[in-house]
Amino acid sequence: MIDEQTEKRKGSFWRELPILLGVAILVAFLVRAFVLQTFYIPSPSMQHTLELWDRVLVNKLVYDFREPRRGEIIVFKAPTAWQSGADGEDFIKRVIGQPGDNVVCCDQQQRLVINGKSLDEPYVYVEADGTRNQVADQNFDITVPEGRLWVMGDHREASGDSLEHYEQSGAADEAGKIQDATIPADSVVGRAFTIFWPVSRATWLTVPEEFDSIPDAGK
């Protein structure tokens, strides 16, 4: 004897399955569009914090409520002049200077100085032979304009970042060079907060404690 209720439940499941799949796809789309997105690392510019082909999870919602902060690793839409030809290319770098920050290279120990305070950077790339990248390969003294960010890769000698574009800028004056070297804050896609693949490298991408002692601009 066939259980009539069981047959009804089976029929109901198959009728509802397309709706459930549609809802699941919609939720996944909304999460990717507005909340979280995965990115892979195609270049050595953030080594050894991020290695080639690492996959990171990016919080796309956080900067709807506050501005990016020094030390955070961000994904952003690269300015046209920074792109290698791929329209809408995404970059990943570390925020070094917020709007209004004075960033200087370098003090007597070859450290960056932000708002008058020297910054130790333990994440800067170290070669296999123990040689550490210079934090910058030229002296500079810039103030980050309002609405913009100064960003740098941890692998300083292999990073197309603010310093490289400051050096290469063809602008006729200092203000133009700084504009070319910084990125618009509203181009930031989100904050990379964890490496999730490969599993052996899974870790949180926290802000190094060295940034805690950096004063705000004008203080």
Side-chain angles (χ1 to χ4, degrees), residues 174-204:
E174 184 67 8
K177 289 180 66 175
I178 295 172
Q179 192 76 8
D180 290 344
T182 52
I183 66 164
D186 61 10
S187 70
V188 177
V189 174
R191 177 186 175 186
F193 67 95
T194 187
I195 301 170
F196 72 91
W197 191 264
V199 174
S200 61
R201 285 186 39 76
T203 188
W204 299 110

Side-chain angles (χ1 to χ4, degrees), residues 30-106:
L30 291 173
V31 167
R32 186 182 187 278
F34 300 107
V35 184
L36 298 173
Q37 189 172 347
T38 63
F39 290 84
Y40 72 91
I41 310 304
S43 81
S45 69
M46 284 294 293
Q47 288 178 317
H48 288 295
T49 304
L50 302 175
E51 299 290 357
L52 280 165
W53 313 121
D54 278 355
R55 290 189 176 269
V56 298
L57 197 59
V58 171
N59 182 335
K60 301 177 71 173
L61 198 60
V62 60
Y63 298 135
D64 289 340
F65 301 97
R66 65 170 178 83
E67 295 300 314
R69 295 171 182 163
R70 297 179 211 96
E72 293 179 338
I73 296 173
I74 60 169
V75 171
F76 59 94
K77 297 294 181 185
T80 302
W82 291 33
Q83 295 178 21
S84 60
D87 188 39
E89 195 173 358
D90 294 319
F91 278 26
I92 186 164
K93 306 292 178 193
R94 190 182 298 276
V95 178
I96 299 297
Q98 301 171 214
D101 282 348
N102 176 230
V103 185
V104 177
C105 175
C106 286

Side-chain angles (χ1 to χ4, degrees), residues 104 106-121 210-211 213-215:
V104 177
C106 286
D107 69 8
Q108 292 183 347
Q109 297 180 43
Q110 294 303 299
R111 298 174 297 182
L112 294 181
V113 180
I114 304 175
N115 300 331
K117 178 71 175 179
S118 295
L119 175 67
D120 289 307
E121 298 184 272
E210 285 79 7
F211 284 91
S213 61
I214 302 298

